[in-house]
Amino acid sequence: MIALFAAAAVALSPPDLSRLPPIKRDPQITYVDRSGAVIGVRGGRYAPPADLARLPPYVPAAFVSIEDRRFYEHAGFDPLGMARAVLSDIAKGKAREGASTITQQLARNLFLSADQTLERKANELVIAVQLEQAYSKKQILALYLSRVYFGSGAYGIEAASQRYFDKPAGKLTIREAAMLAAVLKSPTNYDPADQPERSAARTRLVLDAMVDTGAISGADRDRALAQTPKVWKTAPTAPAQYFIDWLDGQTRAAVGAPKQDLVVETTLDLPSEIAAGNAAAAAATRFAKQGVNQAAVVSLDGSGRVRAMVGGVDYAKGPFNRAIDAHRQAGSAWKPFVYMTAMEAGRTPDLLVVDEPVTINGWSPRNFEPDFLGQITLEQALAHSINTVAARLADEVGRENVANLAHRMGIVSPVNTDPAMALGTTAVTPLEMAQAYDTFANGGYRIAAYGIERIRTAGGQVLFQHKAPLATPAILNPGVGEMQRMMRTVMASGTGTHANIAGYDLAGKTGTTSDYKDAWFCGFTGGLTTVVWMGRDDATPMVRIVGGSAPADFWRSFMVGALKRLPNQPIPAGVPVAPPPLVATPDDGMAPPINEAHPDANIPT
């Protein structure tokens, strides 16, 4: 009845076209992975008007058939439809709003609230008529399809297609188009992921309506009903939202508040990101009985490009990014910084040391195993993560020197210098550890992890381009090569054997805190460094989760797939040894020795 009274109000007061408000839309920032696949959108809620020319004809037809089959005939509102709605209300003995055309729905979406009042309905009809006179039917439909809500945070046909089917709207099948059209009656009740039976029943109604309107044939409907489209329970790009949150502030800092739609081309590799998210969730589930409830991953190439970043096991339950914001003790994954400092001081992997009780400033570290090994090499000590040796070594070479080296390699958090620092009591983030280990992996060059390659307008104007800083050696040979050798041994015969993958040149280090609050695996090959962390958000202990168990399995499960997407490369040998000092010669006084190796020969790409 409201509709009829509103229609009468419109008839008595013809609309004034000059009063049509401007259509406003806040700019969006679309983030794409390294191959151009959309991984997320930030900024305004609504996309630009849908490009009908790029949609199969049956996609808009599905919405017209079920929402407003007289769309191409009416002038904004449908008197016949209103009359049918009133008769239906009388027959059912209850009133409803009903009979809103696509143009009316768009008018409400653009300018009005959803209040069911006579005044709002009258305004809706007026604006609908104005829209019909100001825009073509195609323009109205394009605007409508870009703004309707499909549930699960998806506004517009493109977002809905990506959310439920992981594909652009231009590739929707007839069945998928009908499923999305079915959602609009109630995004909660007809959600294809959460309510598959209700979705299927309403989808059949949409397909029948499409046959009735001539949008498809009966045979098309039967083929569509025989299909079972894959519907994603959660968006496949959900793990990438941690990464986008990290970049969004950087984007706005680089170009300011967007005044037009922007595209951010990122370093992320979406298949690797999805694999990382799956691995994190699977690891947390598998080891839940041992107290694990969170996990994080950071994977970088040799130049610091972020190929995967997962900040937790479920972004929808909380967007806190543990990969960049959670500072957790590094445990034994810190020891390579101690050993690298020792290599710089002249030690070698073959140096004999003794695993025996040691006390430093009243502190006596203990090993994971109760027995002492006696005389061993430094290589063996790192491979088996012997605490007594690491603590004595840090004391000998100077804990301040260890802290300085860690900062030089990519650690940015403050580093404590008490005796226990050798065993990883410093709190760091997975991103920092990935940066630092990437220096081992790329042959000694300090990198800064980054995720934005380029920012451009939707029309192609470049506003920002990442500029790689001058490659700076942070550590030199022979130390780089010696550390790579020792960390290869960790994976071949030490605490990291569970992470080893046959056929690849791999090196790494396990990390476990003394109270089982944090467990790590940090490893690399030529061209890729990956750090994983497992623990609990409340920082309470897990049940005997050590770096060589759950994190090693977690790391391996991700890397098996990630390495298949890369050429199989050896770990680069490292920055050339610094040349010896100048020496005097009889012929020309001071002359440098011949050295044909270019100092930038091993700069990673």
Side-chain angles (χ1 to χ4, degrees):
M1 295 299 290
I2 290 176
L4 286 182
F5 282 122
V10 172
L12 293 173
S13 303
D16 180 358
L17 294 182
S18 65
R19 294 179 183 175
L20 184 65
I23 296 175
K24 297 180 179 180
R25 186 181 70 85
D26 293 331
Q28 288 187 329
I29 304 174
T30 300
Y31 291 85
V32 300
D33 85 333
R34 62 193 297 259
S35 300
V38 175
I39 56 176
V41 178
R42 295 291 185 271
R45 174 179 291 177
Y46 303 117
D51 187 348
L52 299 185
R54 294 191 175 186
L55 296 177
Y58 53 75
V59 173
F63 293 85
V64 170
S65 296
I66 196 65
E67 290 292 315
D68 183 8
R69 64 176 59 191
R70 284 171 41 81
F71 172 69
Y72 292 105
E73 301 168 20
H74 63 64
F77 63 93
D78 184 4
L80 292 179
M82 290 179 177
R84 282 195 299 269
V86 170
L87 292 175
S88 176
D89 289 347
I90 294 173
K92 293 179 180 179
K94 61 180 180 180
R96 66 171 192 172
E97 181 182 8
S100 289
T101 65
I102 282 176
T103 315
Q104 287 174 258
Q105 293 179 48
L106 179 61
R108 184 165 62 247
N109 182 289
L110 289 172
F111 307 117
L112 302 170
S113 71
D115 296 338
Q116 294 190 32
T117 64
L118 180 60
E119 181 182 7
R120 195 274 295 162
K121 191 66 179 180
N123 287 335
E124 176 186 299
L125 291 173
V126 169
I127 294 173
V129 173
Q130 291 176 309
L131 287 171
E132 289 279 350
Q133 297 187 35
Y135 297 98
S136 69
K137 289 288 188 181
K138 285 186 177 181
Q139 289 174 317
I140 290 170
L141 190 55
L143 272 169
Y144 171 80
L145 289 176
S146 71
R147 287 176 171 261
V148 285
Y149 183 55
F150 290 89
S152 297
Y155 289 85
I157 185 70
E158 191 64 42
S161 182
Q162 295 285 355
R163 161 62 188 88
Y164 293 113
F165 305 117
D166 189 30
K167 62 171 63 173
K171 294 185 177 181
L172 288 169
T173 65
I174 292 175
R175 175 67 180 265
E176 290 164 345
M179 290 172 74
L180 293 183
V183 171
L184 298 189
K185 182 177 178 63
S186 173
T188 300
N189 291 329
Y190 299 108
D191 183 310
D194 294 336
Q195 302 289 342
E197 293 183 0
R198 289 181 177 180
S199 171
R202 179 138 181 97
T203 296
R204 177 181 285 274
L205 291 179
V206 175
L207 291 169
D208 288 343
M210 293 174 73
V211 173
D212 291 343
T213 58
I216 61 174
S217 68
D220 291 331
R221 174 190 55 196
D222 295 342
R223 283 190 292 269
L225 288 171
Q227 297 172 351
T228 306
K230 176 178 174 56
V231 178
W232 291 80
K233 187 71 173 177
T234 59
T237 57
Q241 304 316 300
Y242 294 105
F243 174 71
I244 296 173
D245 286 349
W246 178 55
L247 295 187
D248 202 46
Q250 299 176 35
T251 299
R252 296 167 195 275
V255 300
K259 295 179 175 58
Q260 58 183 313
D261 290 338
L262 302 179
V263 176
V264 179
E265 299 172 4
T266 77
T267 61
L268 201 76
D269 180 61
L270 183 55
S272 294
E273 175 73 2
I274 293 172
N278 291 340
T285 300
R286 179 182 175 188
F287 296 99
K289 291 183 178 179
Q290 290 176 259
V292 176
N293 69 8
Q294 279 300 341
V297 188
V298 177
S299 192
L300 311 177
D301 75 1
S303 295
R305 298 178 183 90
V306 177
R307 293 307 193 204
M309 174 188 285
V310 175
V313 299
D314 191 338
Y315 180 85
K317 290 183 178 179
F320 178 68
N321 191 340
R322 297 154 191 85
I324 63 169
D325 293 323
H327 288 75
R328 307 296 291 247
Q329 288 190 351
S332 295
W334 185 265
K335 289 175 182 174
F337 307 133
V338 175
Y339 280 76
M340 183 65 219
T341 306
M343 297 302 106
E344 289 191 337
R347 272 70 164 182
T348 69
D350 298 317
L351 178 69
L352 291 173
V353 292
V354 180
D355 174 22
E356 61 184 358
V358 61
T359 299
I360 303 170
N361 297 344
W363 170 68
S364 300
R366 294 179 298 171
N367 292 328
F368 184 77
E369 300 293 342
D371 298 328
F372 295 97
L373 300 180
Q375 191 174 70
I376 56 176
T377 65
L378 283 183
E379 183 170 4
Q380 291 171 320
L382 182 64
H384 297 284
S385 206
I386 304 301
N387 289 339
T388 59
V389 173
R392 181 185 288 116
L393 196 61
D395 191 56
E396 290 174 357
V397 300
R399 290 183 292 276
E400 287 284 354
N401 292 329
V402 175
N404 290 337
L405 178 131
H407 284 143
R408 197 195 321 156
M409 290 181 62
I411 298 298
V412 296
S413 293
V415 176
N416 70 70
T417 54
D418 59 48
M421 73 91 77
L423 308 188
T425 56
T426 293
V428 292
T429 68
L431 181 66
E432 290 177 80
M433 291 296 280
Q435 285 184 158
Y437 269 72
D438 216 19
T439 303
F440 287 128
N442 66 25
Y445 292 92
R446 166 69 184 265
I447 61 91
Y450 73 97
I452 298 176
E453 292 284 13
R454 190 166 66 152
I455 303 173
R456 58 178 172 81
T457 66
Q461 179 186 0
V462 176
L463 304 179
F464 170 86
Q465 179 77 50
H466 175 78
K467 294 181 180 179
L470 182 66
T472 304
I475 50 178
L476 301 173
N477 271 325
V480 175
E482 290 167 338
M483 286 306 303
Q484 291 172 347
R485 165 188 159 183
M486 288 193 286
M487 285 192 279
R488 286 186 179 102
T489 303
V490 169
M491 298 192 71
S493 58
T495 59
T497 54
H498 284 300
N500 210 5
I501 302 171
Y504 289 91
D505 184 12
L506 299 172
K509 183 68 184 76
T510 55
T512 312
T513 57
S514 59
D515 49 14
Y516 299 106
K517 291 181 179 178
D518 300 281
W520 303 72
F521 194 89
C522 310
F524 54 90
T525 186
L528 193 67
T529 295
T530 299
V531 166
V532 304
W533 165 87
M534 299 177 73
R536 296 180 58 84
D537 277 341
D538 60 8
T540 55
M542 297 174 287
V543 182
R544 295 188 67 81
I545 292 291
V546 298
S549 61
D553 289 342
F554 173 16
W555 188 90
R556 187 182 189 280
S557 68
F558 165 70
M559 289 291 281
V560 164
L563 290 175
K564 292 178 181 178
R565 298 182 55 76
L566 298 168
N568 191 341
Q569 306 175 55
I571 299 169
V575 181
V577 179
L582 300 177
V583 295
T585 68
D587 297 327
D588 55 6
M590 302 297 288
I594 297 175
N595 184 358
E596 296 180 350
H598 190 281
D600 292 339
N602 291 309
I603 292 177
T605 59

